[in-house]
Amino acid sequence: MRKDIKASCQKRLSRIEGQVRGLSKMVEEDRYCIDIVTQISAVRAALRRVEEEVLRDHVAHCVEHAITSGNKADQREKIAELMAVISRSDR
């Protein structure tokens, strides 16, 4: 993973970690259910953005490298991995 992407992801994940702690506190304080669900949706959206950033970096480096290397087995493997992770993320 490129250094700038890694730093960006770590920053986002730290923010998400704080959001999750906030959610725990909301549950502990018996906050209104809809407010909790709203915050859960915000955390899920933030995680999706991190996932997209990591996938974008993976395609730009790992998949691109496999394509330019000319190694057919590596190309098939990287594409299969990418398709598997994309199909899992839709669930």
Side-chain angles (χ1 to χ4, degrees), residues 34-91:
I34 296 302
D35 292 342
I36 294 170
V37 171
T38 299
Q39 290 306 309
I40 291 170
S41 293
V43 169
R44 287 175 43 205
L47 282 169
R48 275 192 304 275
R49 286 190 296 272
V50 173
E51 179 184 34
E52 289 168 6
E53 191 168 15
V54 171
L55 278 172
R56 213 175 292 115
D57 186 67
H58 176 69
V59 170
H61 289 92
C62 300
V63 175
E64 182 180 323
H65 179 266
I67 291 169
T68 59
S69 74
N71 181 330
K72 297 291 183 192
D74 195 27
Q75 291 170 0
R76 284 188 203 95
E77 179 184 349
K78 295 297 183 221
I79 298 300
E81 287 173 345
L82 190 57
M83 295 307 295
V85 79
I86 288 170
S87 70
R88 281 194 310 261
S89 71
D90 287 344
R91 294 180 190 153

